[in-house]
Amino acid sequence: MEFVIVTGLSGSGKSSVMKALEDIGFFCIDNMPPQLIPDFAAMCNENAEITKVAIVTDIRGGAMFFKLEECITKLHIRGIDVKVLFLEASREVLMKRYKETRRTHPLAQNGRVADGIQEERKRLEFLKKQADYIIDTSNLLTRELKQELDKIFVQNKNFKNLVITVL
C-alpha cells in the first residue's frame, strides 16, 4: 500500500494536492488527527481495494498535530511505508493567498497573518527536515503542481528537493 501524509504551511496548497492525488487514484482524507492515522492505516491495509492513501494533517489539529512524529514511527513499526509530502511557500505568497481568500490563519492570534505564518514556520521546522518530498508552491500554477505530483506518484521519477533562487 502506498501511504502519503501531506502536511505543510497553511495556504501552501494542501487542498489542491489532495484533489490532484484523488484524481490519480488515492483515497484521501483531510484534517485527520495524527493519533487516528495508525489505526486507519491498519484498516486500509486489510482492504485489498485500497492501494493508495493520502492524509492531510496540519497545524489546525492544535496540540494533537505534534503527535505526528510518534504516529509515523508507529506506521514504520507496523511495516507501512509512509512518505511525508511537505508543502511550503514564501511569506509574500502566503500573505497574498490569505488576502485573496479572506480566511484567517490558524495561528494568527491577533489577526496578523504575518505573525501566524512566522510562528507556523518555526513549529513545523522539525517536520520539514524529516519530509521525503518538499514542494515549494510559491511559483507553481495548479497544473504545474499536478505535474510534479504525477512525476512523484505516477511516473516514480526521482524527486530532488533542490530549489535555486536567483535575485
Side-chain angles (χ1 to χ4, degrees), residues 2 11 15 37 41 48 96 110 126 132 135 148 156-157 160:
E2 197 169 357
S15 296
I37 293 173
K96 181 181 175 212
N110 58 3
F126 78 98
D132 297 287
I135 298 178
E148 287 300 314
N156 294 322
K157 289 189 175 177
K160 295 179 178 58

Side-chain angles (χ1 to χ4, degrees), residues 4-165:
V4 179
I5 295 176
V6 180
T7 192
L9 298 173
S10 300
S12 62
K14 293 182 298 287
S15 296
S16 297
V17 165
M18 290 306 275
K19 289 175 189 173
L21 290 175
E22 204 167 49
D23 289 346
I24 58 176
F26 277 81
F27 182 86
C28 299
I29 296 180
D30 189 14
N31 205 14
M32 180 179 273
Q35 294 89 331
L36 299 177
I37 293 173
D39 291 335
F40 180 74
M43 285 177 11
C44 291
N45 220 8
E46 294 171 4
N47 186 338
E49 292 177 16
I50 299 176
T51 59
K52 297 177 179 183
V53 177
I55 294 177
V56 168
T57 187
D58 55 32
I59 205 80
R60 294 174 290 172
M64 291 187 294
F65 174 69
F66 295 99
K67 299 284 185 178
L68 183 57
E69 202 169 8
E70 182 182 314
C71 154
I72 292 169
T73 301
K74 283 181 184 178
L75 290 170
H76 285 299
I77 290 170
R78 293 181 182 183
I80 296 171
D81 183 27
V82 60
K83 300 291 184 198
V84 176
L85 170 60
F86 189 92
L87 299 175
E88 66 176 348
S90 70
R91 178 182 172 277
E92 295 76 20
V93 168
L94 292 173
M95 299 255 315
K96 181 181 175 212
R97 289 176 184 170
Y98 268 97
K99 284 180 184 174
E100 288 171 354
T101 62
R102 294 188 178 163
R103 295 191 70 197
T104 58
H105 190 281
L107 297 180
Q109 302 294 354
N110 58 3
R112 293 196 44 151
V113 173
D115 294 343
I117 292 168
Q118 183 178 353
E119 180 63 25
E120 185 177 27
R121 212 176 276 283
K122 277 193 289 188
R123 290 187 188 183
L124 297 185
E125 189 61 36
F126 78 98
L127 191 54
K128 182 179 175 184
K129 288 178 183 175
Q130 297 177 8
D132 297 287
Y133 311 107
I134 300 170
I135 298 178
D136 186 331
T137 64
S138 300
N139 299 311
L140 292 179
L141 300 172
T142 304
R143 70 176 161 75
E144 293 170 327
L145 178 58
K146 287 180 181 181
Q147 288 170 349
E148 287 300 314
L149 295 170
D150 189 69
K151 286 178 194 172
I152 297 168
F153 298 109
V154 176
Q155 300 173 26
N156 294 322
K157 289 189 175 177
N158 287 337
F159 183 81
K160 295 179 178 58
N161 292 332
L162 175 65
V163 176
I164 298 174
T165 305

